[in-house]
Amino acid sequence: MKRNDEMHTITPKFPKMLHGGDYNPEQWLEYPDVLEEDIRLMKQAHINCVSLGIFAWAKLEPCENEFDFGWLDTIIDRLWQAGIYVDLATPSGARPHWLADKYPEVLRVAEDGTRNLFGHRHNHCFTSPVYREKVRIIDTELAKRYASHPAVIMWHISNEFSGDCRCPMCKAAFREFLKAKYSTLDKLNHEWWANFWSHTYTSWEQIDPPSYKGETAIHGLDLDWKRFVTHQTADFMRAEIAAVRSIDPDIPVTANFMGMYFDGLDYYELGRDVDVISWDSYPEWHAPLGNDVIAMHESLSHDMMRSIKKQPFLLMECTPSTTNWRSISKLKKPGMHKLSIVNAIAHGADSAMYFQIRQSRGSAEKFHSAVISHTGTSDTRTFREVTEVGEMLEKISDRIYGSSSPAEAAIIFEPQSKWALDKAQGPRNAGLDYFGAIQRCYHYFWANGINVDIVNEDADISGYKLVVMPMLYLWREGFGDRLRTFVNGGGTLISTVFSGIVNENDLCFLGEATEEKLSDVMGYWVEETDSLYDGEVNSIVYKGKEYKLTELCEVIRPTTCDTVAVYGNDYYKDTPAVTANRFGDGTAYHIAANAPQEFFDAFIADAAPELKRAVNTDIPRGVSVTLREGENGESYIFVQNFLDTEQTLTLDGSYTDIVSGAACSDKLILEGYGSAILSTYQES
Ligand code: GAL
């Protein structure tokens, strides 16, 4: 078998698909038999890696500066003897009691200005020098003790960074951040439009974070606060990374993110500082929305995580069956576990890691599913399905690990634009569904077996043939120029309603047809924007079919563009609702209202240049086909059936099923929730 020897290696010490997950032996130290049994069961489930120590600070440093690594030494040695690798965590996600008792400044101050009590996790100030120092000490001790252990292949920095703190130290740091950005208060007052309502700042000390008890009207403040939270979180994370790298710079670091739909942080920015992108995926399988729609939404998030570094990522957490934190936490039905893992790998994951290996006995997560449940037996459906995944990963690892996800199209997703849009106080505060706007465009690619990257405004878009820009309200400095160069050079751009409205500080662009607004590229300017009541619709006819338009309708003033479709109703009936403008060697399209997914399915098919597909046949509804490529020239085709009924995919060539080894051509029949991973490689 040819291996992808030259491929991207995210865990050089153990360059294989990882199978395992969060393991919390610190909860079980009084149960030595359980720990021994866990290792036996892990082997049985083909687990090759565990994330250790994520919330173990109280056991690692039970009193200030008194460390107890004995138990962890034993566990890591036992795991290593059993051939199980370790993704070792820094424990900063939850602090021990003594730390908060002695140094109350480490606890967060909430939006109302009061300090939190001890409790919960992720309840620490990212600015506090004491917290940073205590974290540095424990991280360094861990690194000194374990960096050279052969089992340790990666650092898992903290856990799901999130939240903010408004203590005096954070406020001071925020003001420094603003001084570095604006230099003078005059500049800040202008960029924040703070003379509005006489909110003009006359000293830096007057600047407080936005709060429901105070300032919410200055949108630039709100936006910069969110940027500061990312900045300060990244700074904290970098300090942790520096601590572990000071002992061994060669072990890769990751920090588990929460995917595209978590909007508390700008992951494109955080992603710069880690070696490996990893994330925790918890889709609501079997919810009324339908598994195919849920899969489409989740695939989008996988694609975004992969696109941060344009490298394979790690699926760091998912549940073996059910969560316990939703209002209704449903089991994964038979087959869904493996299917959801294949889906992650199809979109670029090189692992299947779970929360968690052994189910907690008490406290907040005692009913969250695990590989090993309270019964302690391997004779459960969940255990069997996890084992099946482990066996599959062993079979595909040599081929899939490190392979790439080539994409000729990109969708722009800009977290900072979402932050601004959410607070825009614009024509429709009853809901502008930014994620929905992206999903309605993404569906075309997902349903047609076309890989697509999900990139932010900083991305180099020059290599793509098609760029889709759904509802991109805020344009940061330089982005418009990159779009112009892209279209001028022959690219196809599709933008949708409420794009290019404000600059990076949420100040509206001025003028009618201006280059800043890309009017030369788009060939129109927007005179006014109508918002529609819930239930109210306008319409367009495109290629003989009528589509309903909702939410917002821009009234367009064409300059050089052609009209592709016109509004069907209201006083702007018969004016352009869809436009096309030839610019340089490329074309820029605009959809001036919120259009349904079916419209984008039809429109992108017409407007897009020819894009590489994973398979050149019709893909049945509910089936997704995705491509990864090995540097050895092999193509890997991931076929997934998200319906509970059998589906048939017509194949366009001869393939080998790399899990079963069977040759397949003509037709691939997949049972309900079935999947297959095919390769163009033929055994000779
Ligand atoms: C994740 C978290 C884990 C665990 C899991 C439960 O968000 O990182 O520690 O709480 O959720 O689903």
Side-chain angles (χ1 to χ4, degrees):
M1 214 188 231
K2 277 198 277 173
R3 241 197 64 75
N4 290 317
D5 285 329
E6 303 304 316
M7 307 304 281
H8 185 73
T9 304
I10 50 185
T11 43
K13 261 186 177 174
F14 182 57
K16 301 259 179 218
M17 304 291 283
L18 302 181
H19 186 225
D22 288 20
Y23 182 47
N24 300 305
E26 68 278 6
Q27 295 176 17
W28 297 91
L29 296 180
E30 292 148 45
Y31 300 69
D33 296 350
V34 166
L35 296 175
E36 213 37 51
E37 178 65 354
D38 284 347
I39 292 185
R40 189 186 72 78
L41 291 169
M42 284 185 219
K43 289 307 288 174
Q44 196 176 327
H46 296 254
I47 282 171
N48 59 21
C49 177
V50 295
S51 300
L52 270 188
I54 298 177
F55 296 113
W57 197 342
K59 286 281 183 217
L60 294 170
E61 191 180 358
C63 306
E64 190 170 12
N65 295 328
E66 283 180 26
F67 301 97
D68 178 4
F69 293 116
W71 64 273
L72 191 54
D73 292 349
T74 309
I75 301 276
I76 296 184
D77 287 346
R78 279 293 296 115
L79 288 163
W80 177 236
Q81 281 158 16
I84 298 169
Y85 288 84
V86 172
D87 162 37
L88 191 56
T90 64
S92 64
R95 75 243 67 79
H97 239 301
W98 60 257
L99 180 49
D101 295 346
K102 182 163 177 193
Y103 308 102
E105 70 164 64
V106 305
L107 296 175
R108 283 183 187 171
V109 170
E111 196 173 331
D112 66 1
T114 61
R115 195 174 292 279
N116 290 351
L117 303 178
F118 181 81
H120 228 272
R121 52 184 176 174
H122 308 301
N123 181 10
H124 47 267
C125 170
F126 287 132
T127 308
S128 156
V130 171
Y131 198 65
R132 287 184 174 220
E133 177 59 6
K134 291 295 164 193
V135 168
R136 189 194 64 75
I137 292 170
I138 185 70
D139 289 3
T140 312
E141 290 298 320
L142 275 168
K144 278 196 217 152
R145 195 156 186 110
Y146 299 111
S148 58
H149 197 292
V152 175
I153 57 171
M154 192 167 44
W155 290 112
H156 181 295
I157 303 293
S158 200
N159 187 72
E160 293 188 340
F161 283 113
S162 61
D164 61 29
C165 169
R166 287 125 194 275
C167 72
M169 287 177 299
C170 284
K171 284 186 195 174
F174 180 43
R175 290 169 194 146
E176 290 309 311
F177 171 82
L178 296 172
K179 278 184 202 163
K181 179 169 179 186
Y182 296 111
S183 301
T184 67
L185 275 179
D186 284 348
K187 174 92 168 130
L188 175 139
N189 279 318
H190 176 270
E191 294 302 300
W192 285 6
W193 216 246
N195 298 332
F196 175 81
W197 287 350
S198 258
H199 290 203
T200 316
Y201 292 98
T202 52
S203 94
W204 294 98
E205 281 60 46
Q206 291 166 342
I207 302 174
D208 276 336
S211 163
Y212 70 91
K213 287 186 97 170
E215 186 64 271
T216 60
I218 304 294
H219 291 172
L221 163 69
D222 201 83
L223 194 52
D224 275 335
W225 172 253
K226 292 198 168 78
R227 288 178 175 138
F228 168 74
V229 171
T230 289
H231 165 91
Q232 202 68 350
T233 306
D235 193 58
F236 182 89
M237 184 180 77
R238 277 194 296 272
E240 288 213 69
I241 293 172
V244 293
R245 282 204 183 132
S246 71
I247 306 301
D248 184 341
D250 294 329
I251 300 179
V253 298
T254 191
N256 52 335
F257 295 166
M258 288 182 274
M260 174 167 169
Y261 305 111
F262 171 73
D263 65 359
L265 292 168
D266 181 345
Y267 283 139
Y268 291 105
E269 194 168 325
L270 240 64
R272 291 192 191 122
D273 295 312
V274 292
D275 299 311
V276 181
I277 300 294
S278 66
W279 84 282
D280 304 343
S281 163
Y282 290 95
E284 218 171 346
W285 296 117
H286 313 295
L289 205 55
N291 284 327
D292 52 341
V293 179
I294 294 163
M296 189 263 283
H297 293 175
E298 205 62 5
S299 303
L300 172 60
S301 200
H302 286 312
D303 282 343
M304 185 238 163
M305 288 287 124
R306 184 198 67 241
S307 302
I308 294 175
K309 283 199 179 297
K310 303 239 186 90
Q311 282 172 5
F313 62 90
L314 294 176
L315 176 64
M316 185 58 86
E317 289 180 27
C318 68
T319 177
S321 184
T322 175
T323 65
N324 71 323
W325 41 263
R326 293 189 188 282
S327 47
I328 297 169
S329 288
K330 192 148 191 77
L331 296 172
K332 285 177 176 168
K333 292 184 193 289
M336 181 47 85
H337 179 58
K338 182 172 159 202
L339 179 60
S340 65
I341 297 299
V342 172
N343 189 44
I345 298 170
H347 290 271
D350 272 359
S351 69
M353 307 275 281
Y354 313 121
F355 182 84
Q356 57 181 339
I357 303 291
R358 178 175 276 274
Q359 193 168 29
S360 302
R361 185 159 187 204
S363 296
E365 292 185 324
K366 62 182 176 294
F367 294 123
H368 196 291
S369 75
V371 177
I372 307 165
S373 72
H374 294 146
T375 64
T377 173
S378 57
D379 186 16
T380 63
R381 180 177 68 87
T382 297
F383 191 94
R384 280 191 292 278
E385 295 195 25
V386 163
T387 305
E388 201 190 330
V389 166
E391 288 165 351
M392 175 187 77
L393 293 178
E394 281 172 5
K395 287 187 185 146
I396 67 173
S397 189
D398 275 356
R399 311 196 93 88
I400 304 296
Y401 181 83
S403 59
S404 63
S405 303
E408 295 178 329
I411 294 177
I412 310 283
F413 162 58
E414 177 53 66
Q416 299 186 22
S417 184
K418 175 161 194 318
W419 295 340
L421 185 68
D422 285 346
K423 287 280 155 101
Q425 296 188 259
R428 225 190 108 89
N429 301 318
L432 279 178
D433 183 7
Y434 181 49
F435 288 134
I438 294 175
Q439 287 159 349
R440 285 189 288 277
C441 294
Y442 177 76
H443 180 263
Y444 168 78
F445 302 93
W446 187 83
N448 287 288
I450 299 169
N451 284 8
V452 58
D453 286 342
I454 312 298
V455 299
N456 76 345
E457 290 180 8
D458 292 333
D460 175 6
I461 52 173
S462 61
Y464 296 110
K465 293 181 178 173
L466 171 68
V467 168
V468 183
M469 182 174 75
M471 206 184 276
L472 197 63
Y473 168 73
L474 175 147
W475 287 359
R476 286 191 279 122
E477 189 85 38
F479 176 65
D481 289 339
R482 282 199 293 283
L483 282 180
R484 175 179 289 103
T485 307
F486 169 74
V487 179
N488 193 37
T492 301
L493 171 69
I494 299 176
S495 82
T496 82
V497 60
F498 222 42
S499 287
I501 309 294
V502 297
N503 72 9
E504 69 178 57
N505 289 327
D506 210 6
L507 291 178
C508 295
F509 290 124
L510 298 178
E512 34 168 84
T514 68
E515 288 205 357
E516 203 180 20
K517 290 204 253 186
L518 234 57
S519 306
D520 50 338
V521 177
M522 305 308 298
Y524 69 83
W525 58 281
V526 177
E527 185 180 341
E528 53 189 349
T529 302
D530 191 16
S531 54
L532 276 54
Y533 288 111
D534 286 344
E536 186 186 0
V537 293
N538 206 312
S539 64
I540 43 170
V541 175
Y542 176 69
K543 294 213 161 154
K545 192 163 171 211
E546 186 176 59
Y547 297 91
K548 300 216 176 319
L549 306 177
T550 56
E551 292 188 359
L552 292 180
C553 296
E554 290 168 338
V555 181
I556 293 282
R557 294 283 294 274
T559 51
T560 55
C561 67
D562 296 328
T563 299
V564 176
V566 294
Y567 287 110
N569 307 306
D570 221 314
Y571 77 92
Y572 42 91
K573 183 174 189 295
D574 294 332
T575 68
V578 179
T579 63
N581 193 52
R582 193 78 195 144
F583 181 81
D585 292 333
T587 306
Y589 297 94
H590 183 66
I591 293 88
N594 182 38
Q597 179 178 297
E598 296 69 32
F599 169 76
F600 287 107
D601 286 348
F603 184 77
I604 300 177
D606 293 340
E610 195 173 329
L611 299 169
K612 184 166 188 169
R613 299 182 62 209
V615 66
N616 287 307
T617 57
D618 285 344
I619 299 172
R621 193 189 72 77
V623 172
S624 156
V625 189
T626 307
L627 173 72
R628 284 181 73 166
E629 275 179 1
E631 275 191 3
N632 51 16
E634 280 182 49
S635 295
Y636 307 111
I637 319 289
F638 294 77
V639 191
Q640 304 146 76
N641 174 16
F642 289 100
L643 305 184
D644 58 5
T645 51
E646 183 179 289
Q647 301 294 319
T648 303
L649 176 74
T650 305
L651 296 175
D652 57 0
S654 300
Y655 296 95
T656 306
D657 180 321
I658 64 169
V659 181
S660 70
C664 45
S665 49
D666 301 333
K667 281 189 185 344
L668 177 71
I669 299 173
L670 291 177
E671 60 184 10
Y673 303 145
S675 60
I677 307 173
L678 309 180
S679 160
T680 46
Y681 177 73
Q682 307 281 313
E683 265 336 310
S684 50

